[in-house]
Amino acid sequence: MAGGVIVLGAGPAGRALAHRLLTAAVPVTLVDIHPDRVWQSTFACWSDELPGWLDPAAFAARLDRVGVAGTVLEEVNRGYTVFDTPGLQRSLTLDGADIVTDRVAEVDGARVHLTSGRVLTGDVVVDCRGALPHEAPRQTAYGIVVDEAAAAPVLADHAALLMDWRGGIVDRRELPSFLYVVPLGEGEYLLEETCLAGMPALGLDELKGRLDVRLGGLPSNVRRVERVAFPLTGSAPQPWRESTFCFGAAGGFKNPTTGYSVANSLMCVDDVVAALAAGRDPMPDLWPASARAVHNLRLRGLSALLRLSPTQTIAFFEAFFAMPIEAQRSYLSRRDDLTGTMGAMTRVIRAVDMRTRAVVARGAMSTPAWAGDVGSASRLRRG
């Protein structure tokens, strides 16, 4: 590539893309109003989702298995990695990048208009500014960071808890919530009450209260608090049709039934780099027909999930994690495995009762109104 790539946004997706482009000797201009702001969120993923080039300094904990509980606590024998968030940020070095501290006013093809009046021109513009603002189902969570002694009674000899739904139903007319517990390194643990998906989702005060009840009172030695609230559909419904190439959460890389996007972006970033370095459009590589179909199925899966009652939600996830690991992996991690995704969905539907099966089917067959709202938000953000 004779010129360079303009990357908008210095979050995990944007910084990873800029880092790998620089490694491939592609000139990069990175635009962000706060490019050095330290990331605060906790990121985690299944270990087999990660690319081999990541620096081990990016990891806070690597686990062989995690606990999952609907009514009974069991273990999923699949490796799970918790990032050292500041370590991940530091490892994605930007040596050689032209870093522009400014806001984007408008993107016009390969030209980026900044609020300062400056105009940048490159060969390609990649929008990595995160989830687009729009009305959509959201995930919310309230978490506390504590020491190992405070976490030990909750973990009950397990290394981590991915989902513990026990005690997460306060009122059968309300959304359920689950407990998420992971090590953060250096003797710290995150204990987080999570509303997986809701429209509206549970508020942070409600989640704090549920965590208080679950723990029999919040510990007195809480080191810090983590608050989470984000849309589960961060991109336009058909990101492969966008005029500006979007990557990361803004580009459809967020799994709408889990909220995870960081590992997906890290795993796919070199495909983008290879295409851009060769002067090709990365869209065909990232969005073949199978990936587009899986994306649509996952949106329908979220629609179905929103219709379930609290008890049906728990039964649904009990059935999901009772599947073989390979089936779980197909649905959770393989964004272009259409056969595996459909197979996993079929397994779960067959495993639940008839009433739950009917609710899931109605949700999966509907086209929710929120799935069309993102397109207008996308246009608004680009001016």
Side-chain angles (χ1 to χ4, degrees):
M1 177 173 287
V5 177
I6 301 175
V7 177
L8 309 181
R15 192 173 177 110
L17 177 58
H19 172 76
R20 295 302 286 173
L21 284 166
L22 292 165
T23 301
V26 176
V28 173
T29 299
L30 179 66
V31 182
D32 194 289
I33 190 62
H34 297 296
D36 298 320
R37 178 161 45 194
V38 178
W39 302 340
Q40 300 294 326
S41 301
T42 297
F43 304 126
C45 66
W46 300 105
S47 300
D48 53 30
E49 295 175 331
L50 294 171
W53 54 261
L54 271 175
D55 188 331
F59 308 136
R62 309 206 75 179
L63 313 169
D64 294 330
R65 59 188 62 83
V66 292
V68 174
T71 54
V72 178
L73 181 57
E74 300 179 349
E75 287 198 325
V76 175
N77 292 312
R78 185 181 178 193
Y80 194 75
T81 294
V82 182
F83 288 100
D84 177 330
T85 303
L88 172 64
Q89 186 175 15
R90 289 191 300 268
S91 73
L92 300 174
T93 56
L94 299 174
D95 299 336
D98 179 13
I99 299 177
V100 177
T101 304
D102 208 334
R103 293 187 188 275
V104 177
E106 183 181 0
V107 179
D108 176 19
R111 293 161 59 88
V112 178
H113 299 262
L114 305 178
T115 55
S116 64
R118 184 179 175 186
V119 179
L120 305 177
T121 303
D123 292 303
V124 179
V125 176
V126 184
D127 193 342
C128 303
R129 288 178 288 168
L132 293 163
H134 63 288
E135 291 297 321
R138 296 177 73 83
Q139 183 172 122
T140 53
Y142 180 90
I144 57 175
V145 177
V146 299
D147 61 21
E148 186 173 4
V154 182
L155 285 168
D157 296 325
H158 292 267
L161 297 178
L162 181 71
M163 279 184 167
D164 187 349
W165 295 96
R166 298 171 299 175
I169 300 177
V170 176
D171 185 323
R172 294 186 182 276
R173 293 168 298 179
E174 295 183 355
L175 293 170
S177 57
F178 63 86
L179 180 65
Y180 175 71
V181 184
V182 291
L184 301 178
E186 299 182 356
E188 291 189 332
Y189 285 77
L190 173 66
L191 280 61
E192 194 167 75
E193 192 76 21
T194 303
C195 173
L196 181 63
M199 192 173 182
L202 294 173
L204 297 182
D205 288 342
E206 170 68 18
L207 290 168
K208 179 182 179 181
R210 291 191 185 192
L211 183 62
D212 189 357
V213 171
R214 185 191 291 273
L215 299 178
L218 296 177
S220 59
N221 59 340
V222 173
R223 298 185 176 183
R224 59 188 180 277
V225 171
E226 183 166 318
R227 298 174 177 86
V228 176
F230 59 81
L232 285 163
T233 55
S235 69
Q238 296 182 322
W240 51 89
R241 294 185 182 275
E242 290 292 278
S243 57
T244 298
F245 175 56
C246 298
F247 185 64
F253 284 77
K254 183 186 292 292
N255 188 323
T257 52
T258 66
Y260 284 28
S261 67
V262 172
N264 209 356
S265 300
L266 293 172
M267 181 59 80
C268 293
V269 70
D270 278 356
D271 291 336
V272 178
V273 170
L276 294 179
R280 294 187 288 107
D281 179 3
M283 202 69 81
D285 295 339
L286 293 177
W287 290 106
S290 57
R292 298 196 297 270
V294 168
H295 180 76
N296 289 329
L297 281 175
R298 286 175 170 177
L299 288 175
R300 292 179 182 275
L302 174 57
S303 177
L305 183 63
L306 292 169
R307 293 170 176 256
L308 296 176
S309 71
T311 53
Q312 289 172 334
T313 299
I314 293 171
F316 179 90
F317 281 100
E318 282 185 317
F320 183 90
F321 285 109
M323 291 192 302
I325 296 296
E326 189 63 19
Q328 297 178 33
R329 183 182 290 115
S330 292
Y331 187 82
L332 294 174
S333 305
R334 292 177 177 158
R335 56 185 298 275
D336 60 353
D337 184 359
L338 179 57
T339 300
T341 299
M342 293 181 66
M345 295 175 75
T346 301
R347 279 177 177 267
V348 172
I349 290 172
R350 287 176 175 171
V352 297
D353 63 73
M354 288 297 296
R355 181 170 294 182
T356 304
R357 194 177 301 175
V359 173
V360 171
R362 284 197 299 271
M365 292 175 64
S366 68
T367 302
W370 46 261
D373 290 341
V374 196
S376 59
S378 174
R379 289 188 290 273
L380 284 171
R381 185 162 84 173
R382 289 197 299 272

